[in-house]
């Protein structure tokens, strides 16, 4: 197998692994730009993946599974919003609580309903998203370089993968070219000024957490309806935390989020592909080290290469209206 073909296959794996990271990081972007720190991305994705697997199996409809995933994720987001916005509780504690509750409840409910060790039954083709093959992909497959890129890298992905990449410019446009985005960024920097202008800070932040819930729901649905054939215990495997790291690494900018998620996705895809591979001069790397590689490099990148990342000024601080 030539080098270019290996590169195409690794790049294709990178795109697939990066899809839930992009969606989850963009979800966190909306909340953190509004001043709500959300460490519960992991729990929302996991709950959405479980809901999608259950409903898609019961209804045999992939779209009903996607809808269920979004509804469950939005509900969890509203719980986080109620605790941290309305009740002015700790946003960190609220997010961590969601992660723990969802991690346990998905296994308990899965075992109680399906008796398969916390898994959902395997989905049929009607319960999963099929890959989209772009026009003329098969015809140009043998064309050197450009044909391989078009047919092997750009074509053959899930609809949710294309949606994730389209959401990057869409998020940029919403945040920087719409009135809603301007107000959202303002409420994350100076909520008092927004309130003085007669705009509800609480309602804006609730809309931000709803946007977060929708995107996390799609990310979770991708895991169980596209990347997999149903829900498995802990299938998010820390992707919510990596997405949060990518968001910080990207300094809360949509374009940078795309590249950061692709980088972390590449590290994950590389670790999966080359487990047990004998490298020149190094030899065979232990499987455990290769599995930990994405997380180790995430810590290294955040510690040594990110520079100074300045979050929104009102991030993580409950808003108390002045009387």
């Amino acid at each position: 197998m030539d080098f270019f073909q290996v590169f195409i296959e690794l790049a294709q794996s990178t795109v697939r692994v990066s899809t839930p990271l992009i969606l989850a990081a963009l979800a966190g972007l909306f909340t953190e730009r509004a001043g709500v720190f959300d460490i519960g991305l992991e729990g929302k994705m996991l709950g959405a993946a479980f809901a999608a697997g259950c409903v898609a199996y019961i209804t045999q409809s992939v779209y009903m599974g996607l809808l269920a995933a979004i509804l469950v994720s939005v509900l969890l987001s509203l719980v986080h919003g109620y605790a941290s916005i309305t009740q002015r509780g700790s946003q960190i504690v609220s997010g961590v609580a969601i992660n723990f509750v969802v991690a346990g409840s998905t296994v308990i409910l899965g075992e109680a309903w399906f008796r398969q060790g916390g898994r959902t039954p395997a989905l049929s083709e009607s319960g999963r998203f099929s890959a989209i093959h772009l026009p003329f992909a098969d015809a140009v497959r043998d064309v050197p370089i450009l044909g391989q890129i078009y047919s092997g890298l750009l074509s053959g992905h899930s609809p949710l993968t294309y949606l994730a990449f389209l959401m990057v410019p869409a998020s940029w446009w919403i945040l920087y070219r719409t009135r809603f985005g301007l107000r959202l960024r303002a409420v994350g920097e100076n909520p008092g000024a927004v309130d003085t202008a007669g705009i509800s800070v609480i309602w804006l932040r609730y809309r931000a957490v709803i946007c977060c819930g929708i995107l996390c729901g799609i990310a979770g649905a991708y895991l169980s309806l596209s990347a997999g054939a149903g829900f498995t215990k802990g299938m998010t495997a820390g992707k919510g935390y990596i997405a949060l790291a990518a968001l910080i690494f990207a300094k809360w900018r949509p374009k940078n989020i795309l590249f950061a998620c692709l980088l972390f996705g590449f590290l994950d895809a590389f670790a999966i592909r080359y487990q047990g591979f004998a490298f020149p001069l190094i030899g065979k790397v232990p499987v455990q080290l290769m599995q930990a590689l994405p997380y180790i490099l995430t810590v290294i990148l955040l510690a040594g290469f990110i520079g100074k990342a300045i979050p929104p000024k009102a991030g993580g601080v409950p808003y108390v209206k002045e009387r």
Side-chain angles (χ1 to χ4, degrees):
M1 184 179 294
D2 62 356
F3 172 78
F4 190 74
Q5 184 62 32
V6 172
F7 168 76
I8 291 295
E9 292 181 0
L10 186 58
Q12 188 179 54
S13 298
T14 298
V15 169
R16 290 175 176 171
V17 173
S18 300
T19 297
L21 299 181
I22 294 171
L23 290 166
L26 291 175
L29 175 67
F30 278 94
T31 56
E32 297 203 15
R33 277 293 189 177
V36 180
F37 187 76
D38 194 352
I39 203 173
L41 300 175
E42 177 84 2
K44 295 182 185 71
M45 290 173 62
L46 188 63
F50 177 73
C54 291
V55 174
Y57 171 73
I58 294 170
T59 64
Q60 291 299 305
S61 170
V62 66
Y63 296 105
M64 291 300 295
L66 176 61
L67 179 61
I70 293 174
L71 289 176
V72 167
S73 182
V74 169
L75 179 61
L76 291 171
S77 290
L78 291 175
V79 170
H80 178 61
Y82 178 76
S84 60
I85 300 173
T86 303
Q87 297 298 322
R88 305 188 188 96
S90 171
Q91 298 172 6
I92 301 295
V93 172
S94 174
V96 171
I98 288 175
N99 291 339
F100 280 122
V101 168
V102 173
S105 60
T106 51
V107 176
I108 293 172
L109 293 176
E111 175 62 23
W113 292 345
F114 303 108
R115 302 295 181 184
Q116 294 190 12
R119 299 168 56 98
T120 60
L123 298 174
S124 62
E125 289 298 322
S126 61
R128 300 182 62 204
F129 283 103
S130 301
I132 294 178
H133 296 282
L134 300 179
F136 310 111
D138 293 332
V140 301
R141 186 179 300 275
D142 296 328
V143 176
I145 301 180
L146 293 180
Q148 290 174 291
I149 292 175
Y150 182 76
S151 62
L153 179 57
L154 300 181
S155 179
H157 294 287
S158 165
L160 299 184
T161 298
Y162 296 109
L163 176 62
F165 280 84
L166 288 174
M167 281 305 302
V168 175
S171 297
W172 175 87
W173 183 80
I174 291 171
L175 286 174
Y176 292 96
R177 290 294 183 268
T178 66
R179 180 181 299 177
F180 168 70
L182 174 63
R183 291 175 174 177
L184 197 70
R185 289 184 291 120
V187 84
E189 297 292 338
N190 192 340
V194 175
D195 190 32
T196 302
I199 302 169
S200 174
V201 173
I202 292 177
W203 174 228
L204 270 173
R205 288 185 169 179
Y206 264 107
R207 281 191 280 177
V209 299
I210 289 172
C211 291
C212 173
I214 293 171
L215 291 172
C216 280
I218 298 173
Y222 173 84
L223 293 175
S224 57
L225 303 183
S226 186
F231 175 82
T232 58
K233 176 183 176 182
M235 70 184 310
T236 48
K239 288 181 175 60
Y241 299 112
I242 294 179
L244 189 61
L247 176 62
I248 299 171
F249 184 67
K251 300 183 179 179
W252 296 273
R253 291 183 174 88
K255 181 183 70 173
N256 295 348
I257 285 175
L258 174 62
F259 295 117
C261 290
L262 287 174
L263 172 61
F264 292 134
F266 170 77
L267 297 175
D268 201 0
F270 182 86
I272 293 171
R273 182 177 178 85
Y274 290 101
Q275 287 183 13
F277 183 79
F279 293 94
L281 303 178
I282 300 176
K284 186 177 291 187
V285 179
V287 174
Q288 294 82 358
L289 180 60
M290 291 298 290
Q291 291 175 339
L293 180 64
Y295 307 97
I296 295 172
L297 293 181
T298 297
V299 173
I300 293 173
L301 288 172
L302 287 177
F305 296 94
I306 186 176
K308 188 175 182 181
I310 303 175
K313 293 179 182 178
V317 181
Y319 176 66
V320 179
K321 187 173 182 178
E322 297 181 2
R323 296 183 181 276

